[in-house]
Amino acid sequence: MLDDASGQSPTLQQVGEFVVIERLVRDRRQPATVTVGPGDDGAVVSGSDERTVISVDMLVQDRHFRLDWSTPYDVGRKAIAQNAADIEAMGARPTAFVVGFGAPGTTPAAQAYALVDGMWDEAQRVGAGIAGGDLVSCPQWVISVTVLGDLEGRAPVRRSGARAGSVVAVAGELGRSAAGYTLWRFGVDDFHSLRHRHLVPLPPYGEGAMAAAGGAMAMIDVSDGLVADVRHLAEASGVGIDLSTEALAVDHDAVSRAAAAVSADPWAWVLGGGEDHALVACFGDEVPAGWRVIGRVIEGPARVLVDGTEWEGYAGWQSFDA
């Protein structure tokens, strides 16, 4: 049941909860780690490690995404990607996702199907599945995703292991999502790749496990902004971190034309912009392939410097900012 006689998609209310759920789980292929998927009162997920890494995140319509900018498919990919990045930042591999979705009953069912298609496609990019979830009526779209991860015998990489004398490196790109957000906000139609990067991040999948195997001392996902998230590392480890603009020049240059188009400072995007979901980690000396050094760890007190001085610009997102 996709379209009524008028060619319009029926709403969630018209279709009904159980028909929608059946459509969302039909013919989905679970990875070997999901031994019992949707259809029972609980899922069963296996792993090679006795420990399970767990993280949860929420997206609220008009706060974390806009349906006049994003397609439901894009929103689904973003919801999975940002949660997978948290598991990567612990040095683990995402294995399964559990999703809660709230929406008005007037929502076209086709939009819910597209949302979940995006979730499944992104989950399969990391070799994971969607093991279960819930569907409820809600005044606006709210998506809650819980992700499980497998350490595969490795120790978790926490935020508290950085030591003075080590280097700070990044896997992934910085400033792109913030650039895209500003372009959307100002209605600039150029720079399609940057605009799309805000809608669908590209975490460096697999690099978290590579970093853990390569001796990462501390690691974090850049979700709120480079300076803000690196500060979490500094505070947890009791050290200072000094970032290098020379080492970040590739990110600056990638967004500089877009910044000029909207009279913005590209450094504010690179240092303060979030939602790229790059990974930042501290290593003793050598860094794995796919990582680039962007700074160094110095003696405490806990602080973040940029080229040896305090950064006074925008430092990153906070959930209860206006």
Side-chain angles (χ1 to χ4, degrees):
M1 182 178 182
L2 293 178
D3 299 302
D4 61 20
S6 68
Q8 299 295 315
S9 171
T11 66
L12 295 178
Q13 186 177 44
Q14 291 170 329
V15 174
E17 175 185 1
F18 298 110
V19 173
V20 172
I21 292 173
E22 191 278 331
R23 163 60 177 79
L24 296 180
V25 303
R26 183 198 312 149
D27 298 328
R28 304 293 187 179
R29 297 184 61 183
Q30 297 284 4
T33 51
V34 180
T35 58
V36 177
D40 285 272
D41 288 333
V44 178
V45 179
S46 65
S48 61
D49 199 297
E50 294 180 352
R51 302 157 299 169
T52 299
V53 184
I54 303 173
S55 183
V56 64
D57 209 349
M58 297 182 68
L59 291 89
V60 177
Q61 182 180 349
D62 297 329
R63 181 63 171 171
H64 303 105
F65 64 90
R66 289 176 49 166
L67 289 173
D68 56 337
W69 293 359
S70 300
T71 66
Y73 180 86
D74 291 338
V75 176
R77 287 192 60 190
K78 179 177 182 176
I80 294 299
Q82 67 181 41
N83 280 268
D86 285 332
I87 297 299
E88 292 269 346
M90 296 296 292
R93 180 176 61 85
T95 55
F97 298 86
V98 179
V99 178
F101 176 48
T106 55
T107 300
Q111 291 189 355
Y113 303 154
L115 173 78
V116 177
D117 285 345
M119 290 181 173
W120 269 101
D121 286 353
E122 194 68 23
Q124 292 184 343
R125 283 179 169 86
V126 295
I130 298 176
D134 193 20
L135 176 66
V136 299
S137 177
C138 189
Q140 61 185 354
W141 282 30
V142 177
I143 304 162
S144 178
V145 178
T146 299
V147 56
L148 310 179
D150 187 353
L151 287 163
E152 301 175 317
R154 296 179 294 271
V157 184
R158 302 181 62 184
R159 299 178 180 183
S160 55
R163 297 293 178 266
S166 58
V167 298
V168 181
V170 65
E173 299 172 333
L174 300 165
R176 274 64 163 185
S177 179
Y181 170 77
T182 306
L183 293 168
W184 277 104
R185 190 162 61 89
F186 282 92
V188 178
D189 292 332
D190 295 333
F191 310 102
H192 174 76
S193 63
L194 292 177
R195 285 159 53 91
H196 191 255
R197 186 65 64 86
H198 174 65
L199 307 182
V200 181
L202 295 177
Y205 292 136
E207 292 298 338
M210 291 291 292
M217 300 174 172
M219 187 158 46
I220 196 168
D221 152 47
V222 182
S223 56
D224 296 329
L226 180 62
V227 171
D229 289 316
V230 166
R231 182 174 290 120
H232 294 319
L233 287 183
E235 291 172 349
S237 300
V239 297
I241 292 179
D242 190 3
L243 300 172
S244 165
T245 55
E246 181 179 359
L248 293 165
V250 63
D251 299 295
H252 173 279
D253 294 347
V255 299
S256 60
R257 287 183 56 248
V262 293
S263 300
D265 178 6
W267 285 118
W269 291 344
V270 173
L271 294 168
E275 294 196 315
D276 283 297
H277 299 289
L279 300 176
V280 171
C282 301
F283 297 91
D285 41 34
E286 295 185 6
V287 303
W291 290 73
R292 55 193 169 97
V293 175
I294 59 169
R296 60 193 179 95
V297 182
I298 59 179
E299 296 288 348
R303 64 200 189 283
V304 178
L305 308 177
V306 178
D307 294 334
T309 61
E310 294 281 351
W311 170 249
E312 297 182 353
Y314 178 67
W317 166 271
Q318 293 187 42
S319 290
F320 293 98
D321 283 348

